């Protein structure tokens, strides 16, 4: 840490909820604080933004001002719609998942299109400003932005491009003064949760679970499901080698928002329309669903008391709700859990059985179980001695998900103990802060891919394909060779450096990086145009010359094992170093 940094602020930017926590550097107790007015130190991931003119970015409109964030943003937007004052404002919700899908644009609740980088940057700006305002109410000397070590959580299954995107957003949001700033660390969400569990005040988690050695972390959030397995050596508590990530992160987009999508899908079929998500009556109805979703428990499928939802006229149109109910129930048996009833006293309401509400969980929960099972099958030898599953993330509070995981994995053939971490909603942001205080807590990671460079070595008759031979002046080269940098499924120390030596010859140097999941034999030459090899990204090193304009030796350092793959450059003439930039295969921001 630099001497200027006085505080670590962790930001958990989530699909449904976001927040911050912090701890002062030098505090021996490492006490963690946050906004106690927010549940789990988090509020809704919803942002209300003002634009400079009607329309969206396709017509030249730009987002220019943050109006509100969180639950207040939703409330104010509904108020504006009711007063017909919303033309110059846009509400965004669930936009983090657009980044998971590698999109560069995002739709607002009203369907307007804007650049995703602007929406996320402004969200991070609001979280930064709010965190500093909150902290500066409690300290004598105000904390400035450059005195903060920021730690931003990201899903472990995100691409390198998505993680780089978050650094760009953090820069545009004013957290850091350049994209490569060391004042910002990224941490994978399940790793952050594991760090919090490692330091947890709960003895069951901090002692019994982590004494077992290998622990599967199930980070169940609202957007993504992250699965990773960590190995902990508590006998080396004072050693920097404490937590190893022993398999590449797995998972998918089966978080609790999938259940919300099932509810919306039901409404679309019931109402016979898809065009209602910007309707203030729908927003109210959806909020009621969210409240009820958090109450859905294992015994709901046996409960007889239905839940009433009001369908306002703006949603049902001219068709009476009773007629919509009759149409829905046609051909369905009354015992069917999708059979619904209309309200007797309130003619605008429908009554959904608790069995129906619970059924919305079935497919999403089953997908989570399948993802965990795939991990155990794929890494059977590595994971045969895993004893525990530790559930973290807001979705871990779901009674249905928890019991489904227990039922699947606590009996044969797995015989695992399934536990939910202390305050699972806070675990990730707390772990982010602890990581910022001690980044050496993580010692190694593994990769799902082999990474290597496009290479042009001297051609060797007995070694290379004749079809790959190309002329280079007085000698022959072999084109399209894959030069291995790091192997998949092998523990790579954090910040492991793989150096490559070059001569800067008076022009820019471009290196292309490729990757493959294939099992590689080190005695075999592989080519980047073979099946299962894919382009990962490229790094451009600008022309480096000596003071007398002569070529100079450089070392390009490929750094693996961290949250992101990085590139550094060393000028061997003066030993000056500077960061390189990887341009990824996806479209530029």
């Amino acid at each position: 840490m630099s001497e200027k940094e006085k505080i670590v602020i962790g930001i958990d930017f989530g699909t449904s909820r976001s927040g911050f926590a912090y701890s002062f550097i030098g505090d021996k107790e490492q006490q963690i604080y946050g906004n106690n007015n927010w549940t789990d130190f988090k509020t809704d991931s919803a942002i209300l933004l003002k634009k400079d003119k009607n329309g969206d970015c396709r017509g030249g409109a730009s987002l220019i001002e943050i109006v509100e964030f969180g639950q207040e943003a939703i409330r104010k937007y509904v108020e504006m719609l009711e007063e017909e004052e919303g033309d110059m404002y846009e509400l965004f919700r669930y936009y983090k998942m657009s980044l998971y899908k590698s999109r560069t644009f995002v739709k607002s609740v009203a369907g307007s299109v804007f650049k995703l980088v602007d929406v996320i940057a402004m969200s991070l700006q609001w979280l930064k400003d709010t965190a500093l305002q909150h902290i500066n109410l409690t300290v004598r000397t105000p904390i400035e932005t450059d005195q903060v070590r920021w730690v931003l959580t990201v899903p472990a299954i995100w691409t390198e491009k998505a993680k780089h995107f978050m650094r760009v957003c953090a820069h545009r949001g004013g957290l850091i003064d350049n994209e490569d700033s060391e004042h910002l660390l990224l941490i994978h969400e399940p790793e952050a949760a594991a760090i919090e569990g490692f330091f947890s005040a709960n003895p069951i988690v901090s002692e019994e679970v982590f004494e077992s050695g290998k622990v599967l972390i199930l980070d169940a959030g609202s957007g993504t499901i992250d699965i990773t397995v960590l190995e902990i050596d508590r006998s080396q508590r004072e050693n920097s080698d404490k937590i190893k990530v022993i398999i590449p992160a797995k998972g998918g987009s089966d978080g609790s928002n999938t259940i919300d999508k099932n509810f919306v899908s039901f409404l679309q079929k019931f109402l016979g329309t898809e065009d209602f998500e910007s309707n203030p009556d729908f927003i109210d109805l959806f909020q009621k669903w969210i409240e009820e979703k958090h109450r859905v428990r294992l015994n709901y499928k046996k409960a007889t008391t239905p839940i009433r939802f009001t369908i306002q006229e703006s949603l049902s149109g001219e068709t009476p709700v009773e007629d919509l109910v009759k149409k829905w129930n046609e051909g369905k048996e009354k015992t069917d859990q999708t059979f619904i009833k209309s309200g007797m006293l309130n003619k605008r309401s429908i009554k959904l059985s608790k069995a129906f509400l619970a059924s919305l969980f079935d497919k999403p929960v089953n997908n989570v179980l399948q993802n965990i099972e795939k991990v155990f099958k794929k890494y059977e030898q590595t994971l045969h001695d895993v004893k525990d599953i530790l559930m973290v993330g807001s979705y871990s509070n779901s009674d249905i998900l928890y019991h489904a995981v227990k039922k699947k994995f606590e009996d044969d053939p797995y015989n695992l103990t399934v536990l939910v971490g202390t305050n699972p909603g806070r675990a990730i942001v707390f772990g982010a802060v602890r990581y910022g205080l001690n980044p050496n807590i993580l010692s190694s990671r593994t990769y799902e891919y082999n990474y290597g460079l496009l290479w042009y070595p001297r051609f060797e008759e007995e070694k290379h394909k004749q079809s790959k031979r190309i002329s280079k002046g007085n000698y022959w080269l072999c084109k399209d060779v894959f030069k291995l940098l790091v192997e998949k499924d092998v523990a790579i120390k954090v910040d492991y450096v793989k150096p490559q030596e070059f001569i800067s010859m008076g022009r820019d140097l471009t290196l292309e990086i490729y990757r493959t999941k294939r099992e590689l034999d080190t005695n075999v030459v592989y080519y980047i145009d073979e099946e299962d090899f894919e382009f990962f990204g490229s790094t451009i090193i600008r022309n480096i010359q000596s003071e007398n304009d002569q070529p100079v030796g450089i070392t390009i350092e490929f750094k693996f094992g961290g949250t992101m793959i990085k590139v550094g450059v060393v000028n061997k003439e003066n030993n000056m170093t500077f960061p390189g930039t990887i341009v990824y295969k996806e479209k530029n921001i």
Side-chain angles (χ1 to χ4, degrees):
M1 291 187 185
S2 77
E3 294 182 359
K4 195 171 185 179
E5 292 172 338
K6 295 183 177 180
I7 191 171
V8 171
I9 301 178
I11 293 180
D12 181 4
F13 175 62
T15 303
S16 290
R17 294 174 61 76
S18 298
F20 63 87
Y22 59 93
S23 183
F24 293 95
I25 295 171
D27 177 10
K28 293 181 180 180
E29 301 297 322
Q30 295 190 349
Q31 184 69 37
I32 298 178
Y33 309 89
N35 188 341
N36 288 313
N37 294 323
W38 296 346
T39 302
D40 290 330
F41 295 171
K42 292 188 285 187
T43 185
D44 286 19
S45 295
I47 190 167
L48 180 62
L49 300 173
K50 185 177 181 180
K51 55 189 179 181
D52 57 0
K53 64 180 182 179
N54 269 322
D56 59 18
C57 71
R58 293 171 294 189
S62 299
L63 301 169
I64 58 172
E65 182 183 332
I66 303 168
V67 181
E68 292 287 356
F69 188 94
Q71 184 64 39
E72 185 62 19
I74 300 171
R75 186 201 64 77
K76 191 170 186 66
Y77 181 67
V78 170
E79 183 180 284
M80 286 179 169
L81 290 177
E82 291 174 342
E83 299 296 328
E84 299 183 353
E85 297 176 349
D87 289 350
M88 299 299 292
Y89 300 88
E90 299 287 353
L91 178 71
F92 296 87
R93 302 183 73 181
Y94 308 116
Y95 43 97
K96 180 181 175 182
M97 288 302 291
S98 295
L99 189 50
Y100 170 75
K101 298 173 182 176
S102 298
R103 294 172 180 165
T104 53
F105 292 90
V106 62
K107 286 186 178 181
S108 69
V109 168
S112 301
V113 176
F114 287 92
K115 290 182 178 180
L116 180 62
V117 66
D118 293 333
V119 179
I120 294 183
M122 296 172 90
S123 299
L124 294 180
Q125 178 186 335
W126 186 91
L127 288 165
K128 175 208 68 175
D129 292 343
T130 303
L132 290 176
Q133 289 168 10
H134 178 86
I135 293 164
N136 286 334
L137 291 174
T138 67
V139 296
R140 292 181 180 178
T141 304
I143 299 292
E144 303 293 338
T145 305
D146 61 357
Q147 295 175 314
V148 178
R149 167 160 286 196
W150 302 95
V151 184
L152 186 57
T153 66
V154 292
I157 59 173
W158 267 10
T159 64
E160 294 289 308
K161 174 71 173 181
K163 288 182 278 191
H164 172 70
F165 185 100
M166 292 304 292
R167 294 196 72 93
V168 173
C169 292
H171 174 220
R172 296 192 186 185
L175 281 74
I176 48 178
D177 57 12
N178 66 80
E179 294 169 14
D180 299 311
S181 173
E182 294 183 356
H183 286 288
L184 173 66
L185 300 177
L186 300 184
I187 179 68
H188 293 148
E189 290 165 1
E191 295 168 6
I195 291 170
E196 172 58 18
F198 187 69
F199 286 101
S200 175
N202 182 339
I204 295 177
V205 175
S206 62
E207 298 294 336
E208 294 184 21
V209 172
F210 289 105
E211 282 286 357
S212 67
K214 296 177 182 177
V215 183
L216 185 143
I217 307 294
L218 172 61
D219 175 17
S222 53
T224 57
I225 298 291
D226 278 354
I227 302 166
T228 193
V229 179
L230 308 176
E231 186 171 13
I232 292 87
D233 185 358
R234 293 183 61 90
S235 66
Q236 303 291 324
R237 201 166 180 87
E238 299 305 318
N239 193 293
S240 62
D241 294 346
K242 294 177 180 177
I243 298 179
K244 300 177 181 179
V245 184
I246 63 173
I247 68 164
K250 303 293 182 182
S253 56
D254 299 303
S256 61
N257 278 4
T258 315
I259 306 163
D260 301 335
K261 292 178 182 178
N262 288 344
F263 181 76
V264 173
S265 178
F266 153 71
L267 283 178
Q268 290 171 340
K269 294 174 183 176
F270 177 75
L271 297 172
T273 179
E274 297 182 1
D275 186 22
F276 55 69
E277 293 196 38
S278 62
N279 186 315
D281 290 327
F282 166 74
I283 294 173
D284 286 342
L285 176 61
F286 189 75
Q287 287 301 112
K288 178 174 175 58
W289 152 250
I290 293 296
E291 293 170 6
E292 192 58 39
K293 181 182 76 169
H294 293 149
R295 300 189 189 103
V296 175
R297 304 189 65 79
L298 196 64
N299 60 7
Y300 254 48
K301 292 190 176 182
K302 297 180 180 179
T304 57
T305 305
I307 303 300
R308 188 188 303 270
F309 291 89
T310 300
I311 307 295
Q312 298 293 356
E313 190 172 353
S314 63
L315 294 173
S316 61
E318 298 180 358
T319 306
V321 173
E322 287 181 298
D323 291 349
L324 291 173
V325 171
K326 289 178 182 177
K327 184 177 180 180
W328 176 267
N329 287 332
E330 285 177 2
K332 295 184 175 70
E333 298 180 14
K334 287 193 175 183
T335 55
D336 193 323
Q337 63 184 10
T338 62
F339 187 89
I340 64 178
K341 298 178 180 179
S342 57
M344 296 296 293
L345 299 177
N346 180 358
K347 298 297 184 180
R348 303 225 58 84
S349 68
I350 60 174
K351 292 188 287 187
L352 301 179
S353 71
K354 289 184 176 179
F356 167 71
L357 297 181
S359 72
L360 299 177
F361 284 71
D362 290 347
K363 186 175 180 179
V365 167
N366 190 52
N367 287 343
V368 174
L369 300 181
Q370 289 180 5
N371 277 327
I372 300 173
E373 196 164 34
K374 286 178 183 177
V375 168
F376 279 112
K377 289 180 178 179
K378 182 170 183 177
Y379 299 97
E380 184 175 1
Q381 290 185 332
T382 304
L383 306 186
H384 73 279
D385 52 350
V386 171
K387 297 179 181 177
D388 302 287
I389 293 178
L390 179 63
M391 296 177 60
V392 297
S394 57
Y395 192 11
S396 295
N397 287 313
S398 166
D399 184 65
I400 288 184
L401 178 63
Y402 170 67
H403 281 95
V405 176
K406 280 178 67 72
K407 183 179 179 181
K408 179 74 175 180
F409 295 101
E410 285 202 339
D411 296 327
D412 289 336
Y414 298 101
N415 298 309
L416 302 172
T417 300
V418 179
L419 293 169
V420 176
T422 307
N423 293 322
R426 292 186 184 183
I428 292 171
V429 72
F430 271 39
V433 174
R434 297 196 193 281
Y435 176 68
L437 292 170
N438 180 19
N440 292 326
I441 188 69
L442 287 170
S443 66
S444 65
R445 291 184 174 91
T446 56
Y447 289 100
E448 188 174 14
Y449 292 86
N450 302 288
Y451 288 88
L453 295 175
L454 168 60
W455 207 246
Y456 290 80
R458 287 285 186 112
F459 185 83
E460 298 179 44
E461 291 284 347
E462 70 282 0
K463 187 176 181 180
H464 296 128
K465 292 180 180 179
Q466 284 292 328
S467 62
K468 297 295 183 181
R469 190 175 71 163
I470 58 173
S471 175
K472 180 68 174 177
N474 297 325
Y475 54 91
W476 297 95
L477 297 180
C478 184
K479 67 177 182 178
D480 299 335
V481 171
F482 178 78
K483 183 178 183 181
L484 183 66
L485 293 175
V486 294
E487 294 181 72
K488 69 170 188 167
D489 297 329
V490 174
I492 303 296
K493 288 282 187 182
V494 169
D495 292 333
Y496 166 76
V497 174
K498 185 76 172 181
Q500 302 293 315
E501 306 294 330
F502 296 91
I503 299 293
S504 179
M505 299 296 291
R507 61 181 181 273
D508 294 346
L509 175 65
T510 300
L511 297 176
E512 294 186 2
I513 307 169
Y514 285 78
R515 65 183 187 180
T516 179
K517 291 184 180 181
R518 286 175 61 174
E519 300 294 335
L520 301 183
D521 183 338
T522 55
N523 296 316
V524 175
V525 176
Y526 297 93
Y527 301 90
I528 57 92
D529 56 357
E530 293 180 29
E531 186 179 1
D532 299 329
F533 284 78
E534 65 180 31
F535 176 68
F536 172 71
S538 60
T539 182
I540 301 175
I541 309 303
R542 299 303 175 191
N543 178 32
I544 301 172
Q545 292 183 313
S546 62
E547 293 181 0
N548 57 3
D549 292 332
Q550 294 299 309
V552 64
I554 60 173
T555 301
I556 301 179
E557 298 180 334
F558 293 90
K559 300 177 182 179
F560 293 90
T563 310
M564 292 182 65
I565 298 172
K566 297 182 179 180
V567 176
V569 183
V570 180
N571 182 332
K572 295 173 70 173
E573 185 172 271
N574 55 23
N575 285 325
M576 290 186 64
T577 63
F578 52 93
T581 299
I582 297 177
V583 180
Y584 300 97
K585 66 177 182 178
E586 296 96 339
K587 294 179 181 179
N588 291 335
I589 297 169

